[in-house]
């Protein structure tokens, strides 16, 4: 079950109940997820994306009028201003109000999973159909997922987890009746979604996960938590608009 990270715009923090030392902190127009040690990272973040070591993930709010000529530089400038190291850091941008962030987490004998989602669907879109596209463009992300797994995973399993998370996000939008703003068809995401996964790879976890699809315990957990966090974030945002 997911819970709102913060119900107000005030600063605050959240200590993970399933991963000692993992902390989510609300700062000046950003949310920081920081692990107790460097993780193996994989993601589509604007800053620090790809497969790279990660210690922290920063989800940064920008308003809808933000000019994105060089978002990577803008994120680097913000990290410096907040005193965060540029190394081992992934940076995301979103136009979603950070007070709508939602958290879900779960632990079992073989792993622990943490998910934080910020979700908005003003630019909802459906993959797999003909719609307006662009050769190269960027706008603030509207469904950002910060995933952290305390466990051991192969690189292939990490990719598998990203796929499962994406499927769960699409399922949440479908069940909520979200439609592609252009075609009217059921949406599978938005035009600017991003996801970052960090994995501890701590050797004291006995099981090495080679898969993270929906048939696996780990994939099932990732899917449930992403589904819950995305749904809760959208619910909180809808209540704020009402």
């Amino acid at each position: 079950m997911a819970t709102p990270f913060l119900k107000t715009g005030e600063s605050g923090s959240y200590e993970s109940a399933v991963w000692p030392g993992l902390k989510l902190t609300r700062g000046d127009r950003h949310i920081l997820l920081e692990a107790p040690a460097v993780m193996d990272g994989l993601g589509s973040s604007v800053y620090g994306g790809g497969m790279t070591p990660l210690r922290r993930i920063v989800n940064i709010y920008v308003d809808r009028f933000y000019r994105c000529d060089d978002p990577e530089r803008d994120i680097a400038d913000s990290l410096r201003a907040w005193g965060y190291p540029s190394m081992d850091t992934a940076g995301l941008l979103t136009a979603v109000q950070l007070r709508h962030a939602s958290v879900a987490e779960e632990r079992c004998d073989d792993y622990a999973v943490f998910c934080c989602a910020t979700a908005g669907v003003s630019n909802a879109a459906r993959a797999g159909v003909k719609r307006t596209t662009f050769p190269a463009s960027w706008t603030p992300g509207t469904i950002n997922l910060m995933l952290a797994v305390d466990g051991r995973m192969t690189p292939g399993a990490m990719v598998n987890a990203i796929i499962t998370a994406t499927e769960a996000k699409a399922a949440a939008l479908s069940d909520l009746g979200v439609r592609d703003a252009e075609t009217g068809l059921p949406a599978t995401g938005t035009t600017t979604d991003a996801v970052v996964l960090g994995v501890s790879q701590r050797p004291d976890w006995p099981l090495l996960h080679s898969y993270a699809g929906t048939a696996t315990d780990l994939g099932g957990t990732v899917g449930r938590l992403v589904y819950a966090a995305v749904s809760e974030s959208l619910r909180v945002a809808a209540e704020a608009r009402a």
Side-chain angles (χ1 to χ4, degrees):
M1 183 175 180
T3 57
F5 169 42
L6 289 174
K7 293 185 177 180
T8 70
E10 299 174 358
S11 295
S13 63
Y14 179 92
E15 298 277 355
S16 172
V18 303
W19 184 345
L22 186 75
K23 185 176 181 179
L24 192 66
T25 305
R26 173 74 183 271
D28 173 27
R29 68 179 186 87
H30 71 279
I31 294 175
L32 168 69
L33 178 63
E34 191 161 27
V38 174
M39 307 174 287
D40 283 357
L42 176 66
S44 61
S45 55
V46 178
Y47 183 95
M51 185 161 260
T52 183
L54 282 182
R55 179 72 184 272
R56 64 198 61 81
I57 308 168
V58 187
N59 194 8
I60 303 169
Y61 172 77
V62 293
D63 66 41
R64 62 190 181 92
F65 302 109
Y66 169 70
R67 286 186 56 86
C68 51
D69 299 325
D70 193 346
E72 190 170 1
R73 179 202 61 202
D74 293 345
I75 291 174
D77 290 344
S78 294
L79 295 177
R80 280 193 295 272
W82 295 324
Y84 300 147
S86 59
M87 295 292 293
D88 302 335
T89 300
L92 302 158
L93 295 173
T94 181
V96 174
Q97 295 288 332
L98 296 179
R99 65 178 180 271
H100 300 156
S102 180
V103 168
E105 56 181 345
E106 188 174 316
R107 184 184 181 91
C108 72
D109 292 339
D110 296 321
Y111 56 82
V113 181
F114 178 97
C115 177
C116 177
T118 52
V121 290
S122 60
N123 60 334
R126 180 179 179 86
V129 298
K130 187 173 179 60
R131 70 182 320 279
T132 302
T133 57
F134 304 92
S137 64
W138 186 90
T139 54
T142 47
I143 299 181
N144 281 349
L145 299 175
M146 298 191 291
L147 278 171
V149 174
D150 188 14
R152 297 170 59 217
M153 299 178 68
T154 65
M158 292 174 66
V159 174
N160 215 174
I162 296 288
I163 293 170
T164 301
T166 304
E167 291 175 352
K169 173 193 66 179
L173 298 186
S174 176
D175 288 352
L176 291 169
V178 178
R179 297 274 170 172
D180 183 313
E182 183 175 316
T183 68
L185 295 170
T188 55
T190 82
T191 57
T192 52
D193 294 346
V195 57
V196 178
L197 168 67
V199 181
S200 71
Q201 307 292 19
R202 290 196 298 123
D204 44 333
W205 289 102
L207 180 61
L208 173 64
H209 298 272
S210 298
Y211 309 98
T214 51
T216 67
D217 291 340
L218 177 55
T221 301
V222 168
R224 288 194 305 274
L225 297 185
V226 169
Y227 182 98
V230 170
S231 299
E232 179 66 12
S233 181
L234 290 173
R235 185 193 67 79
V236 172
E239 285 186 352
R241 292 192 300 270

